[in-house]
Structures are given as structure tokens and as C-alpha cells.
Amino acid sequence: MPDRSRVAALIVSVGLIGAALSPLLRRPYDDGFPLSTYPMFAAPRPRQLTLRYPLGATADGRRRYLSPELVGSGEVLQAYAIVDRAIAQRGAAIQALCEAIARRVADSPAHRDVAAIRLVTGTHDAVELLARDRVGAEIEHGRCDVPRSGR
Amino acid sequence: MRAAESEHPAGAGPGSAGPPPGSAGPPPGSAGPPPGSAGPFGRAARWWLAPAPAERLAALRIAVGAYALVYVVARFGELIATARLPAAQLQPVGVVRVLRVFGVGAPLPAMAAVAIAALTVALLAAFTAGYRFRVTGPAAALGLLWVTSYRNSWGMVFHTENLMVLHALALACAPAADAWSMDRARRGAAGAPAPPAAGYGWPIKLLAALTAATYVLAGVAKLRIAGLAWIDGELLRNQIAADNLRKALLGDWIAPLAIPFLDHPSAFTIFCALTMVIELSAVAALAGGRVARLWALGAWSFHLGVVLLMNIWFPYPLLGFAFFPLLEAERPFSWLIGWAARRGTARDSRVG
């Protein structure tokens, strides 16, 4: 007659391993927690990406990407949501966000060369832009100057 | 408290959890190999229930508990922010679905969500210290399951916490506080508890199996979703490019090796083949010994590669906690305890 603790150990073991492997019985995109199907690096992703984001423009026309803190959040996805929402609301919302970013940029010593802020929707080939610096199409939704004292 | 080597000799190797080479029998503190029927099932049960030192299991309890404790404390601000998100954003996953089962369509009141997180912190401290573990162990693991599931129920399922939660649940079901614990210290002069007949080896193998299962699942997901075409590298290259471009456009740090490698597609074929080998061969790590260490090194390198190519951090494996069950986990703790004892002795002799 097997000892009870051994039987319990085997039941717990089979139960937990069975639960951990149970996502195999679900559709691969039917993710869950903590019993995940782990689809994150498996799904196909297009190389082309369309995104709304702010840009700094220098006086000689160079592009400067702006950190989430300058947009108004320390977190990338929240910063993205702020920009996305303002562009979706159009008009005054775009202008208000543009000017708020411009004020923060004016206070940032690392962005002394930035003369203007643009809020854009860009469509880029990710490999072309990152590896070969080939910028895709950008639609400008709003633009404002960075306030500089002494001008 | 004495060092493990002097009290309970370590087993033959990680995962194998058997007696040390050259010894005549099982380590003290285990109940010995289980009697069982012959045949494949009996052999498998004997292998699964092979003895291991209580200290190895205790070391895993301390490591996983401490990691989970720091994790929840570090994310407490985020948990408070999550508790205040609009109800419309709630998309329950896992155990949080019970809210709907009980007809509660809305999130918990923010105070309740925060109180559960605070209670979980206290329970995890008890879990780590091995204080009244038979009660606090399961309660802490369930608290952790709830807190992490709730955090994942707001539109984005993270994949960095799954294994930590599964390990905590497994430890909660095991006699993980029979050594190096407040429970053990409270027993004091009464001595060590009688070792359970099932021994201390099976929970260690269970944790190792859970680690292996998550990697196998990740490999199988790639085959189910993309098929063998995943190995040609194009899909991974696009993923890395898109992920890094999003980071670049939004002013975040991009991974240091992403740009140098994006122009060399053949490198991604190698990365993909290695990834698939590591993920699908995870079961081999259960063999223990050198195979387990080699696999753990490969899996850890994979996570390092994810950091260097995608700037995505999986701290549980990167810090080694995911692979701890495959190693002789009690060794660093034994060394620490021995070091503290030597320092104490030296101080006493100076005072004397």
C-alpha cells in the first residue's frame, strides 16, 4: 500500500504539470495567466509600422526623437496614448499637447538645438529606417515653436 | 543553524536529487527511496520521489519567496495605479475570471485590490521566512496568483511573471519549511521534523519540470503559429525591427545589438534555430547534472540575447531564479551561513 504522502506528492506533481501544459489544448492565440500559450515571439509582424509620435526639429531641419518624459509620462505606452488621443481629438488638443511638449523641451539642456515640435503620423519600413536611416512617409498634424528666451 | 554540507549532504546533482556519489544510501532527512511496483510507472515514480536534502528545497523556498516579495513591493505603486483604472478596461484573465462567475462585472474596489496586495506582501515575507508555512505558504502563493493575475487583467498579458507564480504554487504544496525556517527554529530542541515519506526531492523536480514546461510551450507556440518557417528568421527579424522602431519613435532606449544585426538576415536564422533547440530541448534539463547546467546556460543566454536585441527584460530567468531548481540551490545559502558563523566565531574570540 503506497504511503499517503507519496500519493499526494504524485497527485500534486501530475496536477501542476498537467495545468502548466494545458495551454497546448487551447488555440495558440488564446493567451492566459499564469497558464500562457506564450504566443509573444511567434506571431508574424509586418515590417511596416504606422505610429503617431512627436518629433523635435532643429533649425537646420534634422529630426530628434523625444523621450516619454517630454511628452508627459515616464512610461512609453502611456506617452504613446497621450499623443494618440490628442491627434484623434484634433485641433485644440493637438495644439495644447504640442505647446506642453515645447515647454518641457525648452527646459531640457539636452534639447537646446530643437527649434520646433511636430506631431506626426509616420509610416515606416522598420528595417529601412533603423538599419539604413531611410525615413518613410510622415503626415504632420500640428507644429509649434519651442519658446526660447533672449530671441 | 549549521551548513547544509555538515547536516544533510547534497544530492548527486541538480534534478537527480539522489544521494551523493560514493554514499551508501539516501541523505539523512529523507525517507529513502520509495518502494514501488516494477515497470515503467514504478520506475518513474521512484525517480520522481528520489531523495534530496531538505536544505535544497528550503533554499528554493527562500529564493522564490524573496524574489516574489521584492517583485510585489517594487510594483506596489503600479498595482495601486492599476486598481484605479476605468472599469471598462478590465479584461479578466486566469483566476480574476471568478469575478464574472460570481456576477461581479466590475473591478474590485481600489481599496480592496490594494489591501490584497498588502496582505500578499506580508504573507510572502512569512513564506520566505518559513513562518507557519503550512498556512502562510499556500495563502502567499494564492495571494501572488491573484495580485499578478489582476495586474494582467487590464488589456495586456505580461509573460515575465508566469513561472514565478507557478514555482510559488508548487512550493506551497511542499514541505519547504522543514529546514532553514522559523518553523524549524521554533521546534528548537525538539529537533528536525520527521522527514515525509515522499522526501524532499519531488518538489525540486516539480519546479524544474515547470521551468521546462514553459520553454517547451514557447517553442510549440512558434511551431503552431508560424510552423517551421519561423526558423528562417524573417519573422523574428521583423519583430525585432518593429519593436525597436516603436521604441525609437517614442524616444525609448533601443536594444544595443538590434541595428547592427538587422542588416544581416542570415544571423536571425541562427538565432531562431538556437532558440528552437533551447526551447524544445528543455525537458532534457530534468536529467540533471551537466546536461541541466548546460541547458540552463543556453536558456539564460537566450534571455540575454532578447535584452540585447529587443531590450525586453525577463528578470526571473535573467537573475537565475528560473534555473535554480536545476542547480544545487542550497550551496550559496550554505556558504553564506558558514561565512556568517565564521564571522560570529571570530568576533566572539576577539571579545573573549
Side-chain angles (χ1 to χ4, degrees), chain B residues 2-19:
Chain B
R2 285 178 294 155
E5 279 79 1
S6 61
E7 198 170 351
H8 293 196
S16 70

Side-chain angles (χ1 to χ4, degrees), chain A residues 3-140:
Chain A
D3 173 86
R4 274 174 60 186
S5 90
R6 288 178 176 135
V7 173
L10 292 175
I11 290 172
V12 167
S13 302
V14 170
L16 268 174
I17 293 171
L21 292 174
S22 67
L24 289 171
L25 303 176
R26 302 203 306 258
R27 284 175 293 113
Y29 285 114
D30 184 12
D31 205 2
F33 184 88
L35 305 175
S36 173
T37 52
Y38 298 96
M40 62 277 192
F41 297 142
R45 290 264 294 270
R47 256 169 72 160
Q48 205 164 65
L49 195 70
T50 298
L51 209 65
R52 291 166 167 173
Y53 50 92
L55 268 180
T58 63
D60 57 359
R62 282 178 293 119
R63 302 152 55 82
R64 294 284 305 274
Y65 298 117
L66 303 175
S67 67
E69 289 81 9
L70 294 170
V71 177
S73 167
E75 215 278 315
V76 174
L77 290 177
Q78 279 177 352
Y80 169 69
I82 290 169
V83 176
D84 202 44
R85 200 164 43 233
I87 291 177
Q89 290 171 356
R90 302 180 177 196
I94 292 175
Q95 196 59 27
L97 178 62
C98 191
E99 288 171 4
I101 294 172
R103 281 193 296 277
R104 292 189 198 99
V105 167
D107 290 337
S108 166
H111 295 82
R112 280 200 196 102
D113 57 341
V114 175
I117 303 300
R118 301 166 63 209
L119 293 182
V120 302
T121 298
T123 301
H124 306 282
D125 181 311
V127 175
E128 290 296 318
L129 179 52
L130 285 174
R132 293 164 203 140
D133 218 14
R134 289 183 191 147
V135 180
E138 283 177 341
I139 300 167
E140 187 173 288

